[in-house]
Amino acid sequence: MKFLSQIRGYWANKTFHYSVLILIALLGVVLPTWHYQLSTWITPLILGIIAAALTEQDDSLTGRLKTISLALICFAIATFSIEILFHHPLLFAIGLALSTFGFIMLGAISSRYASIAFGSLLIAVYTMIGEHQSPGFWFQPTLLLAGALWYYLLSIVWLVLFPNRPVKENLAAVFFNLADYFALKSELFHPVSQVQIQPYRIREANFNAQIVTALNQCKATLLSYSKRGQIHTTSHHFLNTYFLAQDIHERISSTHYRYQELAEHFSRSDILFRFRHLLETQAQACREIATSIKENREYQHPNASALALDELHISMQYLHAHSRPEWKSLFAQLNYLLNNLSTIEKQLCHIGHPESNQFDENQLSDTNPYGLRSMWQRVWSNMNRDSLLFRHAIRMSVTFTTGYAILQSFDLELGYWILLTTLFVCQPNFSSTRQRITLRVIGTISGLFIGVLLLTLFPSQASQVTLIVISGVMFFAFRNNNYGYATGFITVLVLFCFNQMGAGYAVVLPRLLDTLIGCGLAVFAVSFILPDWHAKRLHRVMAEAIRSNKNYLDQMMVQYRIGKKDSLSYRVARREAHDQDAALTTAINNMLSEPGKYRKAEEESFRFLTLNHALLSYISTIGAHRTQLDDESVIHLILNGHRVIHQHLQQLHEQLEHHQNSCDISQIEDTGLEKQLAEWHEEDKGSVRLVLQQLHLIHRILPELHALADKLAARVGQESH
């Protein structure tokens, strides 16, 4: 029984499962070619498999078939174009520049087209690399396309055998990330005096960005199983689980109070430890949910989590019976926290039967373009210098053409590896490119050293074919988790493939030299060709973060009058607020990886990130406790507070968007609002008190946000001169 459980665990592992598919694909071409002594066929067939596998995305069967058809057409255009123009250098250079730009701009349509575009460029470069060993016009295109078609056929069979696996893997990833977020949140409840909250907020923002990425990937997979956002009946279970995960994310990302004040007042009580223990058990529950989804078994909610909640209730009752007068307002905060975590506990219990939760609209927001006209509009809207994709397309086009000029000028027979290196390492920004280059160089040098050693130790064709398969499988096993290892294994594969054509040792130095040249071209491109220094556009990212938070708050304020409703518009606003918070986190992290002279206002940027994430957390708290209010005087006060906050956020957005030195807030009538919110802040009025308290917390950080916006404009302005 234990053995079967281990086998199930291995099979549920995404990397292991994917590696089995790659192993079958490679064996399917290596064994026949080895048996029939067709050694020259091995390399193009394997390269075709690699190109196809690198372009594959999670998709439904219908979507997969459409993607495969389009990919094969683009692959054919790319490889036959190379064959036609290869011996005409001038036409080849022009065609290379235009096709590179065109393929990359296809990525504006959707991620599916971006993957196809990358695969097409990869097939083109593979055709160039093998052209000198090609015996005829049809040889390489036919075998490259045959290898790609073989892999695609296998992937279709794989999808038929395991139809819902992509959705399950992405849902599991969401809950694994939620578990890490719960564990991080539990650290807040360690009662340490004089805790520094900003480092914690920055860590929280980074964890939140990972959850947002996982949620977006899961949504993209669910959309591939839908028709214009409407999910098929067979996928409703996964959709409801996704909605539950979104709601849990909103609740766990909320901030009910200044936790450092709770730590100061309850440092001698066990109550905060009880909260911490509950969060830790709920983190473990999220991990078990993720595992059960991956292993396709029914989730059984653990007793430990329910017991921790019961113990917390008992501690709260005891604390209430022995409470002090100065604890009155703080005790209310603990009650809000308890109610929020109790609701999360109920949601975790219902994960196994998500249909028991009623959602107002079982529809996803689908922004993918449909029809040629909308696709063209998406591409055309990116035809400007402000578009990051346009800049990347220009860079890649120039870099490819320059690399081709270098190999032609110095008559480098294997110089097309320069283009291959550039394709893999040249990313849309400097930070990602630098990271890729470091791993690429280390991986290539290590792969060449190990490859030469293995060539010497295993001279027989049978052993080398075996190592080709092993290195190919290991490349795909590591490509998403460790790019350096993946580069090392693909380098070993290349050495053995070329050795089948009698040129194993001869490619060692050219491979290393071409890698270094390609990396140099990539660095030059991201540094000097329409460079995308994050500091220069950070103000826009900040502006979008403020705007999305404003829209998120606007959506939920309406619901305090009409009642809680998880409408599509509300969910879109919530997701955009978290998306922009994640984008701000990524932009600041990327800025720190750029050369020192391009970093601007680092301290102010981190502080802004901290306050923006705090703002999102305060708003999430209001969203987590949405309910209809009937008292008109209370509603009037809430709407008045929201009006003032809305105007401040609007002014902040405009100042940051247009990079103004200051903004005029004299027209905002907020006289007495601070006092009104503070007075309500001291009253115990249930839901009313909570929403006013959160508005008060938001109102308190607005002056510092304004001051930071002014400082950022001044600092960037000074450093730009």
Side-chain angles (χ1 to χ4, degrees):
M1 191 68 181
K2 186 178 180 181
F3 176 74
L4 292 176
S5 178
Q6 289 178 335
I7 293 297
R8 176 186 287 182
Y10 282 125
W11 190 246
N13 183 281
K14 182 178 181 180
T15 302
F16 181 84
H17 188 268
Y18 185 49
S19 297
V20 172
L21 172 61
I22 296 296
L23 176 63
I24 295 172
L26 292 175
L27 288 175
V29 299
V30 167
L31 290 179
T33 52
W34 175 66
H35 179 74
Y36 291 105
Q37 297 297 306
L38 300 170
S39 57
T40 57
W41 289 29
I42 293 178
T43 300
L45 285 171
I46 288 179
L47 294 181
I49 290 173
I50 292 173
L54 290 176
T55 60
E56 187 180 38
Q57 285 196 314
D58 295 333
D59 217 336
S60 64
L61 181 60
T62 305
R64 184 74 60 90
L65 290 172
K66 291 179 181 177
T67 302
I68 288 173
S69 300
L70 182 59
L72 289 174
I73 291 172
C74 290
F75 286 4
I77 293 173
T79 186
F80 279 112
S81 296
I82 298 300
E83 290 288 347
I84 293 170
L85 299 175
F86 191 81
H87 299 290
H88 304 85
L90 182 60
L91 292 177
F92 187 94
I94 295 172
L96 182 63
L98 293 177
S99 61
T100 301
F101 179 82
F103 274 126
I104 291 178
M105 288 306 297
L106 278 179
I109 300 174
S110 69
S111 60
R112 175 186 297 178
Y113 286 84
S115 295
I116 293 173
F118 175 81
S120 302
L121 291 173
L122 189 58
I123 280 286
V125 176
Y126 283 160
T127 308
M128 300 176 206
I129 291 174
E131 178 61 25
H132 291 288
Q133 285 81 30
S134 177
F137 178 87
W138 295 95
F139 181 78
Q140 279 220 111
T142 302
L143 292 180
L144 285 169
L145 293 174
L149 181 59
W150 163 240
Y151 177 82
Y152 282 141
L153 289 174
L154 274 180
S155 72
I156 292 172
V157 173
W158 215 249
L159 187 61
V160 171
L161 293 175
F162 312 102
N164 294 317
R165 189 174 183 95
V167 183
K168 292 176 183 177
E169 288 175 344
N170 285 299
L171 268 178
V174 169
F175 280 97
F176 276 127
N177 280 283
L178 280 173
D180 293 338
Y181 200 46
F182 270 87
L184 177 64
K185 278 285 188 176
S186 71
E187 295 179 17
L188 272 174
F189 294 91
H190 188 72
V192 178
S193 59
Q194 298 180 346
V195 63
Q196 294 295 319
I197 200 68
Q198 178 161 321
Y200 168 82
R201 286 287 188 195
I202 293 172
R203 285 178 61 206
E204 188 178 323
N206 284 315
F207 273 74
N208 189 61
Q210 294 175 18
I211 297 177
V212 168
T213 301
L215 282 167
N216 287 339
Q217 183 59 47
C218 188
K219 176 191 170 185
T221 306
L222 284 167
L223 279 174
S224 70
Y225 285 75
S226 72
K227 186 176 182 180
R228 305 289 179 96
Q230 296 289 343
I231 301 294
H232 303 308
T233 305
T234 53
S235 301
H236 273 169
H237 175 86
F238 302 117
L239 178 64
N240 287 329
T241 305
Y242 170 76
F243 284 154
L244 269 177
Q246 277 193 320
D247 201 48
I248 291 171
H249 179 218
E250 179 178 56
R251 289 184 174 279
I252 195 59
S253 63
S254 62
T255 297
H256 290 71
Y257 201 62
R258 293 166 61 87
Y259 291 113
Q260 56 267 45
E261 292 184 21
L262 294 177
E264 290 172 6
H265 286 84
F266 296 107
S267 59
R268 299 297 177 262
S269 168
D270 76 336
I271 194 66
L272 295 184
F273 287 107
R274 296 285 184 186
F275 275 104
R276 177 170 183 164
H277 178 58
L278 176 59
L279 283 164
E280 288 172 343
T281 57
Q282 289 179 336
Q284 184 57 35
C286 285
R287 292 189 183 95
E288 292 183 16
I289 290 169
T291 303
S292 65
I293 291 173
K294 285 176 63 178
E295 296 182 358
N296 196 30
R297 55 182 172 82
E298 186 175 352
Y299 170 68
Q300 298 292 332
H301 192 62
N303 293 329
S305 185
L307 181 61
L309 182 60
D310 290 340
E311 293 289 343
L312 179 56
H313 273 289
I314 295 171
S315 290
M316 286 288 289
Q317 292 170 4
Y318 179 85
L319 195 66
H320 187 266
H322 298 80
S323 63
R324 303 173 187 173
E326 64 269 23
W327 285 0
K328 183 179 179 182
S329 62
L330 295 172
F331 196 77
Q333 310 309 319
L334 295 180
N335 272 321
Y336 294 140
L337 282 168
L338 178 60
N339 291 337
N340 191 41
L341 292 178
S342 297
T343 304
I344 290 175
E345 183 67 18
K346 291 178 183 177
Q347 291 172 324
L348 293 175
C349 288
H350 291 157
I351 287 293
H353 305 281
E355 295 80 7
S356 59
N357 293 272
Q358 295 298 319
F359 297 98
D360 297 298
E361 296 180 22
N362 289 327
Q363 183 179 1
L364 291 170
S365 172
D366 189 0
T367 58
N368 289 322
Y370 294 95
L372 292 177
R373 183 176 181 180
S374 58
M375 291 179 182
W376 170 247
Q377 288 174 344
R378 185 74 69 89
V379 173
W380 183 251
S381 66
N382 280 271
M383 290 288 191
N384 57 77
R385 287 189 56 170
D386 291 334
S387 168
L388 301 183
L389 184 66
F390 177 82
R391 293 182 176 209
H392 183 55
I394 291 291
R395 282 189 220 114
M396 289 299 296
S397 182
V398 173
T399 306
F400 263 38
T401 308
T402 305
Y404 179 69
I406 291 173
L407 67 91
Q408 285 290 329
S409 300
F410 294 95
D411 195 24
L412 302 175
E413 183 177 335
L414 298 175
Y416 295 98
W417 275 338
I418 295 173
L419 306 186
L420 184 66
T421 300
T422 304
L423 178 62
F424 276 101
V425 303
C426 191
Q427 301 296 302
N429 58 69
F430 181 89
S431 174
S432 300
T433 301
R434 189 178 77 168
Q435 184 180 21
R436 276 289 181 102
I437 285 174
T438 303
L439 296 174
R440 184 84 181 182
V441 171
I442 293 173
T444 299
I445 294 174
S446 302
L448 289 173
F449 177 78
I450 295 171
V452 170
L453 184 63
L454 292 174
L455 277 175
T456 305
L457 293 175
F458 301 98
S460 69
Q461 188 181 26
S463 60
Q464 291 185 13
V465 167
T466 302
L467 288 170
I468 286 175
V469 173
I470 293 173
S471 58
V473 171
M474 297 306 291
F475 165 71
F476 282 98
F478 282 104
R479 75 183 180 94
N480 290 326
N481 301 322
N482 193 313
Y483 184 70
Y485 283 1
T487 302
F489 282 114
I490 199 67
T491 301
V492 172
L493 183 145
V494 166
L495 282 179
F496 281 111
C497 282
F498 271 85
N499 197 57
Q500 302 307 302
M501 297 178 286
Y505 293 102
V507 302
V508 173
L509 289 179
R511 171 81 175 182
L512 179 59
L513 178 63
D514 294 346
T515 296
L516 296 176
I517 295 174
C519 289
L521 286 175
V523 171
F524 176 83
V526 295
S527 301
F528 299 104
I529 303 175
L530 298 177
D532 175 35
W533 304 118
H534 280 80
K536 293 186 177 181
R537 63 180 184 88
L538 192 58
H539 63 98
R540 293 182 181 175
V541 183
M542 291 176 172
E544 284 302 300
I546 292 295
R547 181 193 60 80
S548 60
N549 277 327
K550 174 178 67 68
N551 292 343
Y552 183 23
L553 183 60
D554 291 347
Q555 281 288 329
M556 66 181 59
M557 281 295 103
V558 177
Q559 299 192 23
Y560 278 91
R561 180 179 286 274
I562 66 173
K564 181 179 178 180
K565 185 176 177 63
D566 286 319
S567 61
L568 180 61
S569 58
Y570 174 79
R571 286 189 280 110
V572 168
R574 177 175 64 187
R575 184 55 31 215
E576 186 182 9
H578 282 282
D579 284 347
Q580 294 303 327
D581 182 70
L584 179 59
T585 304
T586 302
I588 292 175
N589 287 334
N590 285 341
M591 182 185 72
L592 295 178
S593 299
E594 294 172 352
K597 64 179 180 179
Y598 295 110
R599 302 177 194 170
K600 312 291 183 183
E602 295 176 40
E603 292 184 10
E604 289 84 354
S605 297
F606 269 121
R607 185 57 186 163
F608 191 95
L609 172 63
T610 302
L611 292 179
N612 181 76
H613 192 72
L615 174 62
L616 176 58
S617 297
Y618 294 149
I619 295 173
S620 295
T621 305
I622 301 175
H625 296 272
R626 282 168 291 151
T627 187
Q628 187 173 2
L629 300 178
D630 299 320
D631 190 329
E632 285 298 324
S633 63
V634 170
I635 293 175
H636 175 74
L637 180 57
I638 290 174
L639 294 180
N640 185 44
H642 169 243
R643 175 188 58 80
V644 171
I645 291 171
H646 176 93
Q647 291 174 341
H648 276 285
L649 294 178
Q650 181 64 33
Q651 289 289 337
L652 272 169
H653 169 254
E654 292 178 2
Q655 179 184 3
L656 291 165
E657 177 68 25
H658 302 295
H659 220 186
Q660 300 169 349
N661 290 328
S662 62
C663 64
D664 183 13
I665 59 174
S666 61
Q667 302 300 317
I668 302 176
E669 298 179 7
D670 60 352
T671 306
L673 180 64
E674 174 76 19
K675 183 179 179 181
Q676 287 177 301
L677 293 176
E679 287 175 353
W680 279 95
H681 182 69
E682 294 300 326
E683 297 296 327
D684 188 6
K685 297 292 184 180
S687 298
V688 174
R689 184 180 182 282
L690 180 121
V691 66
L692 290 172
Q693 167 190 291
Q694 296 306 117
L695 291 176
H696 180 242
L697 289 171
I698 294 171
H699 192 264
R700 285 174 61 177
I701 65 174
L702 291 176
E704 188 175 359
L705 280 171
H706 281 296
L708 277 173
D710 294 343
K711 286 181 181 178
L712 284 164
R715 283 286 301 275
V716 174
Q718 290 173 1
E719 294 174 15
S720 298
H721 290 88

